[in-house]
Amino acid sequence: MTNSLTDLDDAGVAAAAARAGADVVRDLYGRRLARIDKGGGDFATEADVAAEKAILGVLRAARPDDAVLGEEGGRQGAADAARQWLVDPLCGTLNYAVGSMLVAVNVALREGAAAVADPFSGDVFRTDGESAWVRGEGADQRSDGADQRLIPTSASRLVDVNLDPPFPGAPAFRAVDLLARPAFAEHFRPRVVSTTLALAWVAAGKRAAYVTDGGDLSGSVHFAAGIALCRAAGCVVTGIDGAPVGQGGRGLVAAADAETHRLLMTMVRGQEEPTSVSEAFWKQ
């Protein structure tokens, strides 16, 4: 196993690691799992910890000199390592704990390759930093078993919004206020899946956009993999202030195309869109 892993490129390693974590998440689904309290209403489960262990096993075998920042285990590896992997073994723990299958496993090399696995559909989304693909590996596997390029589109008009506190952008911006704007209802339909799997869906054309508050999310174990997928797929990705993520941008607006991004930024900034523009958008 070790030899085959070392032969993989970084995108292959990210996908293998995410798949290993997804296998654990799927296998433990529905069991009564112990919870580890993190404070403030947040917690991890045994599945989070076990999935991260499986992911680390792959990364250590494939890239033993790299450092890792894990959601559950923190920083591991040499402090002066030139490369660092960001690992979120179970994004959507609250969903998972109550029996919802809306979760993701995120693995990203900082400033490099990344993968997001959906444990229950079997989809593994991955990028080498330049292009992005998905392969279905579950019960609904694509008939030819081949990679498919991710092609974003805003056709669904569905926008996923993260409503989890804290709200560092308040009072200037809170996602819940965005949903109350008449212009939002004219252009889009809100969804709240409470997992960054939604970012992979933007890259894959299943969502028009994703919006969240927050600070600089470029180095977040929760968001790094999804951001990398969206960028590689050709989405428009900025902070809620319009600045580039990782270069001053705070929070996140990841949109399938420039027009969707422009409309959302107009609403985020508290402006209304003229009715004529709204009607033209819906006729596309």
Side-chain angles (χ1 to χ4, degrees):
M1 177 179 178
T2 301
N3 291 337
S4 63
L5 287 174
T6 56
D7 291 339
L8 295 174
D9 62 12
D10 287 336
V13 171
R19 191 180 303 114
D23 289 344
V24 173
V25 170
R26 185 173 55 254
D27 289 347
L28 293 179
Y29 178 75
R31 301 188 189 183
R32 186 182 297 274
L33 301 173
R35 298 188 180 188
I36 301 99
D37 183 34
K38 295 183 176 182
D42 192 16
F43 62 88
T45 70
E46 293 176 81
D48 298 70
V49 176
E52 183 164 305
K53 183 178 179 180
I55 293 167
L56 292 178
V58 172
L59 296 179
R60 286 169 180 158
R63 300 291 189 269
D65 296 328
D66 292 355
V68 177
L69 174 61
E71 161 95 24
E72 309 308 332
R75 297 182 184 275
Q76 301 183 41
D80 60 350
R83 297 165 25 118
Q84 183 185 57
W85 294 87
L86 306 171
V87 174
D88 183 359
L90 178 48
C91 186
T93 299
L94 275 70
N95 286 348
Y96 186 79
V98 297
S100 169
M101 294 181 178
L102 290 173
V103 301
V105 177
N106 297 321
V107 179
L109 177 62
R110 191 184 289 271
E111 305 298 332
V116 175
D118 180 338
F120 299 104
S121 74
D123 284 343
V124 179
F125 306 85
R126 78 180 195 281
T127 176
D128 58 5
E130 296 182 0
S131 299
W133 312 269
V134 61
R135 175 176 293 186
E137 301 184 359
D140 59 348
Q141 181 172 338
R142 290 155 181 77
S143 58
D144 58 4
D147 290 336
Q148 293 189 354
R149 288 287 291 270
L150 296 184
I151 302 175
T153 172
S154 60
S156 72
R157 305 295 195 250
L158 299 178
V159 175
D160 257 301
V161 182
N162 180 12
L163 301 182
D164 290 340
F167 306 112
F173 173 79
R174 290 191 308 172
V176 68
D177 296 330
L178 174 66
L179 302 187
R181 298 191 65 80
F184 186 92
E186 290 177 11
H187 295 297
F188 304 111
R189 294 293 177 265
R191 291 294 181 272
V192 182
V193 300
S194 298
T195 168
T196 52
L197 177 63
L199 276 171
W201 288 350
V202 175
K206 297 181 178 182
R207 292 289 190 269
Y210 177 89
V211 181
T212 183
D213 200 347
D216 178 2
L217 302 179
S218 61
S220 166
V221 297
H222 306 291
F223 292 93
I227 290 171
L229 282 172
C230 286
R231 283 174 167 165
C235 302
V236 181
V237 181
T238 70
I240 55 173
D241 52 3
V245 176
Q247 301 177 40
R250 298 179 57 82
L252 186 65
V253 178
D257 52 51
E259 178 62 9
T260 299
H261 183 270
R262 186 191 67 78
L263 285 168
L264 286 168
M265 289 304 302
T266 297
M267 298 172 205
V268 166
R269 289 167 176 157
Q271 302 170 354
E272 294 291 344
E273 191 70 21
T275 301
S276 60
V277 176
S278 172
E279 291 175 349
F281 184 75
W282 278 104
K283 291 177 180 178
Q284 290 179 12

